[in-house]
Each structure stands twice: as C-alpha cells, then as structure tokens.
Amino acid sequence: MNHCSPTPSLPPPPHSPPPAEMPASVARNLSSLFRPSAAYVIAAASTLSEKLSPPLPPPPPVAGDEALKQCVSLLDDLLSGKTKAKKKKKSDESERCEDDVNRLVWGSLGDQSLSSSSSSSSCEDSASDISSVLCGSEDSDSLCSSDTQELRNEKSYVQILQVPWFSSLFHTGTSQRRKELSRDRKVNFKNTVSDRCSLLVTKCAEKLGPDATIEVLGRVGRATGLKEYNALIRLCIETGRKTEDEDIAMEQYYKAYQLFSWMKEKGFEIEEQTYGPFLMYLIDMHMKEEFYHFLQLIKDANSFTRFGYYEMLLSIETEDEDKIHELLSEITLKKCKKDLDPQYLVESYLMALCERDRKKELLELLEVVDIAKLSLENIQNILRSLGRLSLQSVAKKFILTSLGDGGESEQISDFICSFATSMENLAVVHIILKYKDMHTELEVLPSSSSYERLIKFCIGSREAHLALDVVDQMCEAGFSLSSDTLNSILHACEESSEFCLVRGIYSAVSSCKLKPNSETFRSMISLSVRMKDYVGAYDMLMGLEKVNVKPMPSMYNAIMGGYFREGNLVGGYRVLEEMEKAGVKPDYQTYSYLINNCKREKDIIKYYDRVKSSGLTITKHIFMALINAYANCGKLEKAKKVIFDDGVPAKNINEIRSALLMALASNGKISDALEVYDKVRESGSTVEPKALVSLVEHMESAGQLPRLLQILDELTDTFYWIDGCSRVILYCVRHKDLRSAVDLLKKLKDAFNDDELAGEVLFDEVFSQIVEMEPSGLQLGLDMLQMIKKELKIRPSRKCLDFLLSACASAKDAKSALLIWKEYEMAGLPYNLVTSLKMYQALMASSDFGSAAKVLTRIPKDDSHVRSILLACEAMYGKPIEKDIKDKIMILKKKKRVKWLNKLLS
C-alpha cells in the first residue's frame, strides 16, 4: 500500500464541527518553503555523484511541487545510503568523499562551499521561512540573532559529528572498526531524525491543526506514518484535557476520531499504544457515548482483546452499577459472546477491578474464575489490591490456590512481598513484620528477590535505616546483594541526611557477601566526609584492595571537596599528594577543586597549566573554576577574559557566562554583572536560573525593582522562580514598597499550591526583616499584617506575631503590643510560653507595669531559663508588681479610700 498517497478526506462523525481551513498565506508559505533549496540540493547531489561514480545526466527541470518532491526524495536517498554509486578504494578518495558528504549535509564550513553564494542564501531563506511559519512570526531575525545561530550551528556540529564518518586509525581491525562506527552513526542519525520529525509534526499541528498538517506533509512528499499520526492524536488528547470548554473538548474528540479513520483506511494496524491513551481520555472525561462510538471504529481494525478492561473502567468511573453487574454476569453465568475469549475477558475485568480496589466485585469474581490460569501479571495486581484492602486471609488462600501443591517457595515469597508492601494503612516497620509473619504462616523462606524488593520499598518510603535492617537479615540468610541496590540505599541515606548509616553499610560490605563497586565506595566516602569522619573515609580507601575495587579519582575528590568546603586548604592539598602516591591521576573535578580554592594568581596558572599538559579534556568546570578563582583573588578583569579563551566549549558558553555573572554579583560588581546579563540576552541566549537568582540576591540598591521583575520573568523553572520571587519580596520590604510585595505574595501563594508550610516560612522571613528595620519597622509590619489578612485571606503564623511583639518591645509601644496580643486569639493561636515572655518584655519596655503583672501570672517559673529572662527584664525595667502596688497606693491615698488601702497593704 502506498502510504505516500494523499490522505482522503473523510466526512466527520455526526455533529462534527467543520474542520479548520488552512489560512491561504500560511499554505502558500508551506507549499513553497523548500523550493528555493531545490536547485542547491540537486547541484550538491550531482557534485557528490561525480566523485563516487561516472557522471549521471542532470535531472530534468521540474517546477512546483514536483521539484520539491524530487529534492526531498534525492536527499533522503543520499542520507540513507541508497545511492548505487561505488566508493573508491583509495584513502585519499575516501577522504575527499567524506568532505563532500559533510558539506552536502551540513552546509559550507568556513570558506568551503558546494554552490554559489546565491544558492546558500536561498537555503538560509528556506530555514527562515520554516521558522517564520512555525513560530508565527514574519521576521525570523527577531527570533534569533546571528550570534545565537552561530553557537547553535557549532553545537550541532559537536553533537552530530561526535562519531566520525571514517576512522583516522589505520591498523589491523580497521574494517571492523569502520563497520561499528557506521552502525553507531546510523542509529544516532535515525534517532535524531525521528525525534525531530515528531517535534516538527507537533509544532505544525499546534499552529495549523491536524488537517492542515497532514496536507503539508503530503505537499512536501513526506509520508504520514504512525509516528506522525500518534503525535497528532497525542496533541488532540492534551488539548482536550487542558480545556474546560465542552465544545472544544468535543472538537478535539472529532479531530482524533477523524485521524483514527484515516489510519484505518490507509491500512495501519491500530495498536493499544495508539488507542489506549485516547480511550483513557474518554473514560476520564466520562464521555460514555463517544467511548462506544469510537470502539465501533477500531474493532474492525484491531482484534481489541482488552475491550473488557476499558469498558469496566468506564463503568466504574461513571458509577454505572447496573453495567458493572451486567459485565460480571457474563462471567459468572458464562454468557460471554462467541467472539470473545472468556479467560482473557476475566483477566481484563480483574485488572480494572484491582486498579479501582472494588472489594465486593473482586471477591465475587475470584470465587468463579480458574485462578491457576491467570497470568503472573494479573496475580501480582490482585495481590496488591488485596493488600490495599487489608484482606490477609483471602490473600493467603489466593497464593496457595494460584500455585497449587507444586508451588516454588521463591514464587510464594515474591507474592507475599507484593501483598505486604501494598498495605498502605500500615507503617513500614509493621509491613516488614507482616512480611516475616506471612512467611512463617505459609512455611516458606524469604527469597533473595523478595528481600531486594522489600529493600527498594523501604528506600521508596524514605526509611533508609529499615532498609539497612533488611540488608542485615538478608546477609544472615546467606544471600548476596546487588551493587545497584546497595548504591540505592546509599543514595537514600544522602537524601534523608542519615549519614551515620554509612558505618553500618560499610560493616555489611566488609563482613557479608555484598558486591560493591567503585560508585559504592565513592558514595560511602562521601557520606563519611559529610559527617566530617575523615578517618573513616581513609579507612574505606585502604579497604579497596580487600574487595578488588580499583581506586578512582572520584573517591579522592570526595575527600578533597570536604576539606576545601571547610576551608582546610592544607588537607585538600594533602589529598592531591596521596593521589599521586597511589598512582591515581587527577581528573577534571580534581583540578576544578584545586583551581577554585587558589588564593594566589600564580597557583591558578600553575594548576591550569597542569590541566593542559595532562591531556585531559578541558571541560566547562575548569573554566568556571578559573572565573571563581580569579574573582576571589580580586582579579575581576582576568575573570572576564576567561570566556574569550580559545578552548571554551561553544555548547557550554552560556553556563560559563552565568558563572561569570555570579562571580561579579557576589563580589559587589552589580553593574558589570548586569552588563554580562544584557549581552547574553542580546545574543538570544538564556542565563542559568541559579545565576539569575544570585543576581537578584545581590541587587540591594534602591530603584532596581523594574529590573528585578524583568529578571524574575525569565525564571521559568518553578523552584528557582519561587526562590527568586521570595528574594524580590524581601527587597520590596527592605525598601518599604508594601504594594509590590503584596502583589508578588499573591503570585507566590498560587505557586505554592496550597503548601501552607512553605507559605509560613516565607511570611516568617518577611516579618523577621521588618523587625530589623528600626524605628519604622513596627508600623510597616502592622500595615503588612492588615494587607495580608485583607487581600490574601491568610491568617498570620505564630512566628509572624512573635516578630511583631519583638518590634513592639524595641519601639516601646504598649498599644500596638495589646493589638497584636488580640491577633493571636483571632488567628486561633493559643498563648504559649514564648508568646507570653515576648508580651511581658514589650509591656515592661513600654512601662505598662500593670498589664505586665497580669501577663506575669501566665508564665510558669519552674524553668531556670525562664527565670533568668524574667530577672533580666526586672534588672532593666524594675519589678512590675512592686511598681504597680506603689501606683495604686498613691491613687488610694489621694482618694482617701481607707478600706481599700488597708486591704491592699494587707
């Protein structure tokens, strides 16, 4: 079947909205965007053919779309190696052919060219037209500057030409080496083309729609294959999920339906990886009628053995209990349709019921099915569902029934692990106990595979110490542990900051049948360094010979990095000496550490010269270390010159510029840092997010808010945007711009996605900054408090109010302290010891001794620290009770209230 034929236009399903027509201007651009390159490619192909074979007659002049198709066809044949010309045997001819191929595919490099300048410019115009159509811009120059394009071209050469076309080594085995290189090149090229085609189809579909995209592919001679159809269908699903408009969702359904219709008519086999996501979309959207309408379309094009699974899911999602009962009745009453496999239908229903944990229906179905015929995947799914439902007795019976009398103990152990690790209502430690108890009850021993699964479960649950306990049990049982699992435990220890567990892991490595590798030792040494246990780290280095692991530079680098982070330069340089004694050559990371921590310019030059003479590839880390080292030595001008070094990799230029920006900003050279930032933006490139946050952090002068907001808009990563936004808010607070601060807090509140803890941390930081702003900080804080309550509808945290009470003490403002005291009650925060002490201090500082005496009665005086705080307040402000009594005595004497006076004195 000819898949290159134009796709027939099928009528849409009933009530389908009319397909969007391609705009005339866009269609003209797309139909002609390749034509200017036709003459160039044909001429290039002719040049190459003359090199490889006897001259061929030139292709006849073809106009319009035919020229385009011939051009694309010729280029495809050339790239796929289908040309019938024979290669020359001589090496000089091979080299010349290689140059011609490179020039044909990648264009002219330097001063070499395959055609006239007019042909080259026409190719550039074609690329510009493509960019214009896909990006929705008539002026492609506005999208990409010449500097950026040059960097992209150079990056492309580095990435794609990593595997040479011909080997430069002529020795025995050259033929085999060439075959390997050719195979690698073809795989890389195939993967690259596949990814780019999918991206191109997606971009076109976003701008033009599926119908117009298929028409464009037909015009340029590109066959619409499965990848293209899958990309278009995926786009329809994504668009339908994002919208809340029912009409748009229906429109996307009809577009996808039409694409499936075309696939069916062109004879493609519609597999589950294509129709499955679309059915799940219909199920999630509760589009019941459309679901069955679509099934009628694909039943004929596919055996569709998983029909029962999707139909049962739909019934569960739409809460159609009658339909669920009807489907199960087909199994229990054995009334399956003749064209359906009863066993496969049972498994499909079981899979759906297990996914949704339908306890009643699951147990009902298990009573009638032949468990021995179930697939292993379905048995695991059933056990996981029984675990989530905490049906232990049913699970034990099911395990024994599924394996029969001849069940292997290893398989039973794996089933037990699947059940136990799915019990979500139990803590991890209780799950481990359940795992042991079920093995005892079923009289089987735990297997090595189930132990490893249990360890991975503990790691996934962030319980690294429990994973280590399981390792000990595994060692006692005489099993060995794979290095991957061992490294996973070490990684979990690092993530959870449980560094002390490394000693137990090293002990297990030394005494048990574990299989460590170089990464295992690097991780253990790194964790020991994090604990500042350098003696333990060196012991691990000495123990490498016992397990036949070769020492690697990364192990020494872990120790060196720890010393340098602590500022221990002597220890860091001593590691270098030990590396040399052990015969381990430093790598780029070693030299990065050394250069980065140089305090003198001559040391920087010395280690940089060593890198160049060592034969190591000078990576971006070396150049970034050079920038930081020169900046730390105060040689900022030399730091700026690093980016102009001839060895700077073009693909890493942005990261190196970002390192320069950070170095300048951290050294107070904000104007120079902004100059670098502007140059990067003018080149069409982007600055690294970490560098942007650093720039925001160090911009402290007034009047910088517009620039800060501009930088903030460039942070697309959510993590860095939140960090940058928080710093801009603090900048606004420091400069008393509450309006801007609250506006940013609104955006930040949305970014937190109801993460109250993260929000509290930020507000606490804001109010801590306000407290430090004396003497106007108190009023600023009160204003901020009211704006947050009114506009953000957020109750203040305890720390925020505590900070404000501290500000009241500094300002000696008893009235404001009493207002804040009421805020605790309004926010639902009970008064605790810290709050009472801060309130007592604020009232004492304001000379409101009567109120201070009342607060004093709330404060327990059992703790020695509390008593010391009270004594310090009395030493500074006097005793509140005595002063209060003296004041009352004076008042009573004036009013001659003898009775009350005697009562008070008593």
Side-chain angles (χ1 to χ4, degrees):
M1 181 174 295
N2 183 14
H3 289 185
C4 294
S5 60
T7 305
S9 178
L10 294 180
H15 309 294
S16 171
E21 295 184 1
M22 187 192 311
S25 60
V26 175
R28 284 194 299 271
N29 284 339
L30 289 169
S31 64
S32 61
L33 56 88
F34 291 107
R35 288 177 188 155
S37 302
Y40 167 73
V41 176
I42 293 171
S46 300
T47 303
L48 182 62
S49 298
E50 292 174 1
K51 295 282 185 180
L52 299 175
S53 65
L56 298 175
V62 187
D65 292 339
E66 294 300 325
L68 173 62
K69 291 181 180 179
Q70 181 173 351
C71 163
V72 175
S73 176
L74 180 58
L75 185 57
D76 285 342
D77 290 344
L78 205 56
L79 293 177
S80 60
K82 293 180 181 178
T83 178
K84 297 181 180 180
K86 296 182 179 179
K87 296 182 179 179
K88 302 283 187 179
K89 293 185 178 180
K90 295 182 179 180
S91 60
D92 56 344
E93 282 296 319
S94 298
E95 293 175 0
R96 285 198 296 270
C97 292
E98 177 188 357
D99 294 338
D100 290 335
V101 170
N102 287 335
R103 287 197 295 271
L104 171 62
V105 178
W106 310 116
S108 62
L109 300 175
D111 297 328
Q112 299 174 349
S113 178
L114 283 173
S115 65
S116 64
S117 59
S118 60
S119 298
S120 299
S121 62
S122 66
C123 293
E124 294 173 0
D125 293 340
S126 298
S128 178
D129 290 340
I130 295 172
S131 176
S132 176
V133 171
L134 296 183
C135 299
S137 171
E138 295 298 330
D139 185 9
S140 62
D141 292 338
S142 64
L143 301 174
C144 180
S145 68
S146 59
D147 293 341
T148 307
Q149 189 62 37
E150 183 179 350
L151 289 176
R152 287 179 181 172
N153 290 340
E154 189 167 350
K155 183 175 181 179
S156 298
Y157 303 148
V158 171
Q159 289 179 341
I160 300 175
L161 298 180
Q162 284 176 347
V163 181
W165 289 81
F166 294 96
S167 174
S168 58
L169 301 177
F170 295 92
H171 51 74
T172 57
T174 301
S175 176
Q176 180 64 26
R177 178 60 179 161
R178 285 182 176 178
K179 289 180 181 179
E180 293 175 359
L181 292 174
S182 177
R183 185 162 50 249
D184 292 342
R185 186 179 69 247
K186 288 177 180 178
V187 170
N188 293 337
F189 183 76
K190 182 178 179 180
N191 293 338
T192 303
V193 170
S194 175
D195 295 341
R196 288 179 178 175
C197 286
S198 298
L199 180 61
L200 177 63
V201 171
T202 303
K203 291 293 184 182
C204 282
E206 288 175 353
K207 295 293 181 181
L208 310 175
D211 301 345
T213 300
I214 292 177
E215 181 182 348
V216 169
L217 294 174
R219 287 197 177 195
V220 300
R222 171 74 184 182
T224 308
L226 279 174
K227 291 180 180 179
E228 288 75 20
Y229 277 116
N230 286 338
L232 295 172
I233 291 169
R234 185 166 57 248
L235 182 65
C236 292
I237 295 172
E238 292 174 358
T239 306
R241 286 188 182 277
K242 290 177 182 178
T243 184
E244 297 180 358
D245 191 322
E246 186 175 347
D247 293 336
I248 296 177
M250 289 300 299
E251 180 183 355
Q252 297 304 316
Y253 164 75
Y254 287 128
K255 285 182 179 180
Y257 184 95
Q258 189 176 43
L259 290 169
F260 279 108
S261 299
W262 287 342
M263 291 178 69
K264 179 180 177 181
E265 186 163 296
K266 295 182 72 174
F268 287 113
E269 183 178 356
I270 304 176
E271 299 178 350
E272 187 174 2
Q273 63 180 5
T274 301
Y275 67 72
F278 186 61
L279 282 177
M280 289 305 302
Y281 163 69
L282 297 177
I283 292 170
D284 294 340
M285 302 298 289
H286 293 192
M287 300 172 73
K288 193 172 183 179
E289 183 179 349
E290 290 78 7
F291 177 90
Y292 287 104
H293 181 224
F294 175 69
L295 286 186
Q296 295 302 319
L297 172 69
I298 62 173
K299 268 186 177 180
D300 299 334
N302 193 286
S303 58
F304 202 65
T305 51
R306 295 242 299 172
F307 168 76
Y309 167 74
Y310 291 103
E311 189 173 18
M312 180 62 78
L313 272 185
L314 176 68
S315 303
I316 295 172
E317 282 295 318
T318 56
E319 300 180 355
D320 190 347
E321 300 296 332
D322 294 336
K323 185 65 176 179
I324 295 173
H325 180 72
E326 177 187 338
L327 295 174
L328 291 177
S329 298
E330 295 177 359
I331 302 299
T332 56
L333 301 177
K334 300 181 179 180
K335 294 183 178 180
C336 292
K337 297 178 181 179
K338 294 182 180 180
D339 58 338
L340 296 175
D341 181 2
Q343 182 62 26
Y344 205 91
L345 196 60
V346 167
E347 296 206 15
S348 298
Y349 290 163
L350 279 172
M351 188 177 295
L353 293 172
C354 290
E355 282 188 14
R356 296 299 188 268
D357 293 331
R358 300 278 297 196
K359 179 179 177 180
K360 177 183 175 182
E361 292 81 2
L362 177 60
L363 295 178
E364 180 183 339
L365 197 56
L366 288 177
E367 291 293 330
V368 298
V369 301
D370 187 354
I371 297 177
K373 293 183 179 180
L374 293 176
S375 65
L376 184 60
E377 179 186 1
N378 244 315
I379 292 175
Q380 297 281 11
N381 288 333
I382 292 169
L383 286 170
R384 282 191 283 266
S385 181
L386 293 176
R388 291 191 294 269
L389 296 170
S390 300
L391 299 174
Q392 183 174 344
S393 59
V394 178
K396 288 193 292 185
K397 178 182 177 182
F398 178 77
I399 290 173
L400 294 175
T401 307
S402 62
L403 293 175
D405 296 334
E408 297 181 0
S409 60
E410 183 175 352
Q411 190 68 71
I412 295 175
S413 180
D414 288 341
F415 287 166
I416 292 173
C417 185
S418 296
F419 170 79
T421 54
S422 300
M423 303 183 76
E424 299 173 347
N425 59 334
L426 294 182
V428 178
V429 63
H430 294 136
I431 287 175
I432 296 174
L433 291 175
K434 183 69 66 178
Y435 170 84
K436 294 179 182 178
D437 293 343
M438 288 190 69
H439 277 86
T440 303
E441 292 173 9
L442 296 176
E443 298 179 352
V444 292
L445 295 174
S447 65
S448 174
S449 59
S450 69
Y451 267 132
E452 291 219 11
R453 288 177 59 191
L454 187 60
I455 290 170
K456 291 177 181 178
F457 172 76
C458 294
I459 292 172
S461 303
R462 298 177 181 271
E463 299 287 354
H465 64 286
L466 294 178
L468 189 56
D469 292 341
V470 178
V471 170
D472 293 336
Q473 298 169 23
M474 193 174 179
C475 292
E476 291 174 2
F479 293 117
S480 180
L481 187 67
S482 68
S483 57
D484 289 341
T485 305
L486 193 56
N487 293 340
S488 298
I489 298 174
L490 290 166
H491 182 67
C493 293
E494 185 174 5
E495 284 194 334
S496 60
S497 299
E498 296 177 279
F499 308 134
C500 58
L501 296 180
V502 70
R503 291 168 180 162
I505 297 173
Y506 182 60
S507 175
V509 168
S510 304
S511 59
C512 301
K513 297 179 181 179
L514 303 184
K515 299 177 181 178
N517 55 21
S518 58
E519 175 59 23
T520 307
F521 273 89
R522 187 207 63 79
S523 297
M524 290 192 297
I525 291 170
S526 177
L527 292 176
S528 299
V529 170
R530 297 286 291 274
M531 290 194 302
K532 300 184 180 181
D533 181 13
Y534 292 98
V535 175
Y538 277 114
D539 288 342
M540 293 174 188
L541 276 176
M542 298 300 105
L544 289 172
E545 295 181 0
K546 298 178 183 179
V547 291
N548 295 322
V549 175
K550 184 180 178 181
M552 302 295 290
S554 58
M555 303 174 188
Y556 288 92
N557 291 341
I559 302 176
M560 180 182 287
Y563 278 127
F564 281 140
R565 280 190 295 271
E566 295 177 6
N568 187 346
L569 301 182
V570 176
Y573 293 128
R574 186 170 61 246
V575 174
L576 178 63
E577 296 175 1
E578 290 164 355
M579 289 180 71
E580 294 172 348
K581 290 179 183 178
V584 178
K585 293 183 179 180
D587 62 2
Y588 74 90
Q589 187 65 60
T590 311
Y591 286 115
S592 296
Y593 281 140
L594 293 170
I595 293 172
N596 206 19
N597 290 275
C598 287
K599 300 301 180 183
R600 298 179 300 178
E601 184 179 353
K602 66 177 184 179
D603 292 333
I604 300 174
I605 297 172
K606 178 180 72 174
Y607 287 118
Y608 185 47
D609 289 340
R610 281 196 191 181
V611 178
K612 293 188 288 186
S613 61
S614 66
L616 291 171
T617 301
I618 303 180
T619 64
K620 63 181 180 181
H621 305 90
I622 299 294
F623 291 107
M624 293 164 73
L626 282 172
I627 289 172
N628 290 328
Y630 279 125
N632 293 336
C633 293
K635 306 291 183 179
L636 294 177
E637 292 302 320
K638 291 196 173 183
K640 294 178 185 178
K641 293 179 181 179
V642 171
I643 60 175
F644 300 106
D645 191 290
D646 294 336
V648 172
K651 63 180 180 180
N652 302 125
I653 187 64
N654 280 348
E655 295 175 81
I656 297 171
R657 283 176 175 172
S658 298
L660 175 60
L661 190 153
M662 291 177 63
L664 293 172
S666 59
N667 282 274
K669 301 295 182 180
I670 300 300
S671 58
D672 292 340
L674 289 173
E675 184 179 348
V676 174
Y677 165 74
D678 290 334
K679 286 182 178 179
V680 174
R681 292 185 71 246
E682 289 171 3
S683 68
S685 303
T686 56
V687 182
E688 291 292 308
K690 188 177 180 181
L692 291 175
V693 172
S694 177
L695 185 57
V696 169
E697 179 184 3
H698 292 93
M699 290 176 66
E700 299 179 352
S701 59
Q704 296 283 2
L705 183 58
R707 198 65 179 269
L708 288 170
L709 295 177
Q710 176 191 351
I711 296 172
L712 190 61
D713 288 339
E714 292 191 29
L715 290 169
T716 54
D717 184 273
T718 303
F719 173 79
Y720 285 106
W721 184 88
I722 290 174
D723 189 6
C725 186
S726 303
R727 296 180 188 279
V728 177
I729 290 171
L730 296 178
Y731 172 89
C732 294
V733 170
R734 286 195 299 270
H735 294 277
K736 304 178 183 179
D737 188 353
L738 294 187
R739 179 70 269 158
S740 298
V742 172
D743 290 342
L744 289 171
L745 283 170
K746 289 179 183 177
K747 295 181 180 179
L748 205 54
K749 179 187 175 184
D750 297 335
F752 282 143
N753 293 325
D754 300 325
D755 187 347
E756 294 183 2
L757 180 60
E760 282 189 12
V761 171
L762 175 63
F763 290 129
D764 295 345
E765 181 67 22
V766 168
F767 280 94
S768 70
Q769 293 272 344
I770 290 174
V771 172
E772 296 175 1
M773 299 169 59
E774 298 180 4
S776 60
L778 176 59
Q779 188 58 47
L780 194 69
L782 293 173
D783 294 340
M784 173 68 83
L785 177 64
Q786 296 305 318
M787 293 176 74
I788 288 175
K789 289 172 57 180
K790 182 178 179 181
E791 299 187 28
L792 302 183
K793 309 297 182 185
I794 294 177
R795 293 185 302 178
S797 68
R798 180 181 297 278
K799 279 190 176 182
C800 292
L801 297 177
D802 287 348
F803 282 132
L804 288 176
L805 278 181
S806 298
C808 292
S810 300
K812 300 181 180 181
D813 190 337
K815 184 178 179 181
S816 297
L818 293 172
L819 289 174
I820 296 169
W821 185 256
K822 293 179 181 178
E823 288 289 345
Y824 285 93
E825 186 176 352
M826 294 170 62
L829 300 171
Y831 303 116
N832 61 14
L833 179 59
V834 174
T835 302
S836 299
L837 285 172
K838 287 183 177 293
M839 185 64 181
Y840 175 73
Q841 182 185 6
L843 294 173
M844 289 287 288
S846 307
S847 300
D848 188 350
F849 301 111
S851 299
K854 293 178 182 178
V855 174
L856 186 60
T857 60
R858 291 176 169 271
I859 301 175
K861 304 172 182 62
D862 300 332
D863 189 270
S864 58
H865 298 287
V866 173
R867 291 197 299 271
S868 64
I869 294 173
L870 294 176
L871 289 173
C873 288
E874 289 177 2
M876 182 173 291
Y877 307 114
K879 293 185 177 181
I881 297 177
E882 294 179 358
K883 289 198 173 188
D884 186 45
I885 291 175
K886 289 180 182 179
D887 293 341
K888 288 182 178 180
I889 290 174
M890 292 296 295
I891 294 172
L892 291 174
K893 283 183 177 180
K894 287 181 179 180
K895 295 185 177 182
K896 297 180 181 181
R897 300 289 182 90
V898 179
K899 180 181 177 181
W900 289 102
L901 180 61
N902 292 334
K903 188 175 180 179
L904 180 63
L905 292 174
S906 64

